[in-house]
């Protein structure tokens, strides 16, 4: 005799709660571990000073600025291109073999290892276009890396917009682009912001792409243009914990760097969440 529907529902609900608590528990453990080990390294000097003595002393200010520059540069390129591509695929392109091939290409790019993007960025932006190892080359490479995520998230957000929005607008004699611009996109913004949040987190934490396109371990000065090499928190943390000088002595700096990176990502995510909530509240009005 099988389980009753009510019993099955209770079991399923219990398993869902258990899975949620397990994931939440692991996240809290990781956060607590990083915070407890990195809190002691955080100070005004650590956040605002240049590194010195091959990063065994001093601060990580250039790495913070470099990371923010990468996030800003890559999002400035990937966000408009990704949104426009998603609008075309969802609103203009019909079902055809060409559209299917484009969708397959996007899916394949989403699953491509980041190191492949790094090698591609090295060949295309650093060598072919002659940008050299620089913020520009790294930002463009990271933009390509997150482009599939933004396209997919925007497509899904557009699909959730009821067709009544489009039909009502078109019935009033409004053009298709104006319908998309003023009726469809505002309703899809919460989903677009969700894709942006995921992209920001990935850009901030990637090491392989920037390793090939311009990041350096020790650079005790600020980049003076987008064509300059730069320090970045993920690469800096990677070298400190694997191949840096005096790995054991720099352990507090490692955890401090990880904590700063975590704070930056969480802060940007919080801003994105507030933007998403703002637009959701506007849609309810």
């Amino acid at each position: 005799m099988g389980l009753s529907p009510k019993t099955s529902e209770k079991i399923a609900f219990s398993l869902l709660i258990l899975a949620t608590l397990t994931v939440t528990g692991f996240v809290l453990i990781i956060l607590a571990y990083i915070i407890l080990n990195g809190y002691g390294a955080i100070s005004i000097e650590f956040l605002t000073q240049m590194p010195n003595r091959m990063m065994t002393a001093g601060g990580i200010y250039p790495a913070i600025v470099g990371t923010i520059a990468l996030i800003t540069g890559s999002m400035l390129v990937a966000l408009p291109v990704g949104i426009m591509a998603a609008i075309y695929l969802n609103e203009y392109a019909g079902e055809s073999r060409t559209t299917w091939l484009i969708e397959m290409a996007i899916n394949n790019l989403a699953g491509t290892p980041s190191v492949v993007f790094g090698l591609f960025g090295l060949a295309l932006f650093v060598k072919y276009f002659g940008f050299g190892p620089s913020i520009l080359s790294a930002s463009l490479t990271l933009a390509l890396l997150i482009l599939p995520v933004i396209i997919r998230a925007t497509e899904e957000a557009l699909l959730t917009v009821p067709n009544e929005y489009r039909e009502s607008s078109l019935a009033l004699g409004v053009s298709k682009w104006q319908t998309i611009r003023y009726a469809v996109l505002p309703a899809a913004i919460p989903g677009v912001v969700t894709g942006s949040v995921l992209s920001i987190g990935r850009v901030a934490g990637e090491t392989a792409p920037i390793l090939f396109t311009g990041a350096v371990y020790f650079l005790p000065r600020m980049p003076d243009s987008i064509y300059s090499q730069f320090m970045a928190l993920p690469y800096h943390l990677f070298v400190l914990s694997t191949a840096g000088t005096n790995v054991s002595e720099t352990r507090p700096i490692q955890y401090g760097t990880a904590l700063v990176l975590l704070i930056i990502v969480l802060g940007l995510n919080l801003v994105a969440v507030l933007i998403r909530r703002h637009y959701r509240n506007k849609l309810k009005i």
Side-chain angles (χ1 to χ4, degrees):
M1 184 176 180
L3 298 174
S4 65
K6 191 172 183 179
T7 304
S8 299
E9 183 179 355
K10 287 183 177 180
I11 293 174
F13 187 68
S14 299
L15 291 174
L16 289 174
I17 292 178
L18 179 61
T20 303
L21 292 176
T22 301
V23 173
T24 305
F26 279 119
V27 171
L28 292 176
I29 290 172
I30 293 171
L31 289 176
Y33 184 77
I34 294 175
I35 292 172
L36 290 175
N37 287 279
Y39 178 78
I42 303 298
S43 65
I44 297 298
E45 292 75 17
F46 184 71
L47 299 176
T48 59
Q49 287 186 355
M50 300 291 175
N52 56 63
R53 286 191 289 173
M54 293 305 294
M55 203 50 246
T56 58
I60 57 170
Y61 183 62
I64 296 174
V65 173
T67 300
I68 294 176
L70 289 179
I71 294 173
T72 304
S74 59
M75 294 304 293
L76 285 175
V77 175
L79 201 56
V81 173
I83 292 175
M84 288 189 291
I87 291 174
Y88 170 76
L89 291 171
N90 193 75
E91 304 293 331
Y92 289 98
E95 293 185 4
S96 64
R97 184 172 180 81
T98 302
T99 305
W100 179 81
L101 289 173
I102 294 173
E103 296 283 358
M104 285 295 295
I106 293 171
N107 290 334
N108 289 331
L109 283 175
T112 302
S114 60
V115 67
V116 176
F117 282 95
L119 291 171
F120 179 77
L122 172 64
L124 182 64
F125 302 121
V126 177
K127 300 293 184 181
Y128 184 78
F129 286 122
F131 297 148
S134 62
I135 293 175
L136 179 59
S137 297
S139 296
L140 292 174
T141 303
L142 290 171
L144 293 178
L145 178 69
I146 62 176
L147 197 56
V149 178
I150 294 177
I151 293 175
R152 275 285 170 241
T154 305
E155 279 189 289
E156 294 298 327
L158 292 171
L159 287 172
T160 62
V161 179
N163 281 328
E164 286 79 5
Y165 283 43
R166 300 173 178 86
E167 294 168 355
S168 300
S169 179
L170 294 171
L172 295 173
V174 179
S175 68
K176 187 166 186 176
W177 168 246
Q178 288 176 319
T179 297
I180 294 170
R181 169 66 181 82
Y182 295 105
V184 179
L185 267 182
I189 280 182
V192 175
V193 172
T194 300
S196 302
V197 169
L198 297 174
S199 303
I200 289 172
R202 188 168 186 187
V203 167
E206 284 293 343
T207 301
I210 63 176
L211 167 65
F212 292 106
T213 53
V216 295
Y217 165 59
F218 182 73
L219 189 67
R221 59 179 174 80
M222 299 296 294
D224 51 16
S225 74
I226 59 174
Y227 297 101
S228 301
Q229 288 188 285
F230 58 93
M231 292 181 67
L233 292 172
Y235 180 61
H236 181 68
L237 178 61
F238 168 74
V239 176
L240 273 180
S241 57
T242 57
T245 56
N246 301 319
V247 174
S248 60
E249 294 182 13
T250 59
R251 194 73 67 189
I253 300 177
Q254 298 169 28
Y255 286 111
T257 303
L259 181 57
V260 171
L261 179 58
L262 185 64
I263 291 172
I264 290 174
V265 174
L266 291 178
L268 292 172
N269 286 353
L270 178 61
V271 172
V273 167
L274 293 176
I275 294 173
R276 181 173 58 188
R277 180 176 297 179
H278 169 74
Y279 278 97
R280 280 183 175 173
N281 291 335
K282 284 183 65 175
L283 292 174
K284 293 178 182 178
I285 296 175

